[in-house]
Amino acid sequence: MLREFILYSRLGRTDSNFANLHDAGRLDIVYECTVTSLFLSHAIRKGTLFHAILNGPPNPPLHLKIEGQTLHDVRTDQQTWQKILKNVLSGKQHPGITTAKTSFETLLKTKANASQIYVLEEHGKPIDTTAITENPVFVLGDHVGLPKKTETFALRYGEKISLGKTPYLAATCITILNYLLDKEQTS
Ligand SMILES: C[S@@+](CC[C@H](N)C(=O)[O-])C[C@H]1O[C@@H](n2cnc3c(N)ncnc32)[C@H](O)[C@@H]1O
């Protein structure tokens, strides 16, 4: 079963001109979500794809795609990922990572052709009463949450689900989702 996570980053920088991930429009959140999406202890989740749509300056939007199947030469620390993100945002190659000028709307429409879309939001349908289908695609907002217009667009293609009333970090939501899906697959 394939799992996909799409992070909508309102301000994530779309070039490599930054001193640290936090000040690059919160690319630290992109880093944290990358790690919780793709890393197990001593292994990479081969059947997982992580996407971030970066909407910050100077050239938005930018679709950053990281594929567990082909990702190599990585560690889980922030320093390593700062280097990797700087490289790919300046047009260099890294195995398993691609960038494209694709908007959130285009990506979502493409995904909705083949998969069920779940939009993560505190006030959605409780996940415990939702049957998660094969090859799910989960959409998450950054530290501010999804812009209203973006959420409305996403809900034309998917359903809103909740992990409860507690507001979690986007990366924590991914950990919880991976945990629940892992449990389901091994039971
Ligand atoms: C740090 S939260 C953003 C919080 C922001 N104040 C808001 O109102 O959306 C980042 C993202 O994590 C997801 N999220 C956080 N807590 C959640 C929960 N309890 N259930 C479902 N999704 C959640 C949402 O996708 C949210 O956009």
Side-chain angles (χ1 to χ4, degrees), residues 120-122 140-145 161-164 166-168 170 173:
L120 270 289
E121 211 271 332
E122 286 147 68
L140 300 111
D142 61 10
H143 58 300
V144 187
I161 61 163
S162 169
L163 302 175
T166 310
Y168 296 111
C173 292

Side-chain angles (χ1 to χ4, degrees), residues 22 30 37 45 49 53 60 63 71 75 103 128 134 146 176 187:
H22 180 277
V30 173
S37 295
R45 292 179 180 273
L49 282 176
I53 299 292
H63 174 199
L71 185 64
R75 295 195 305 211
S103 68
D128 353 5
E134 289 272 298
L146 281 183
I176 294 170
S187 64

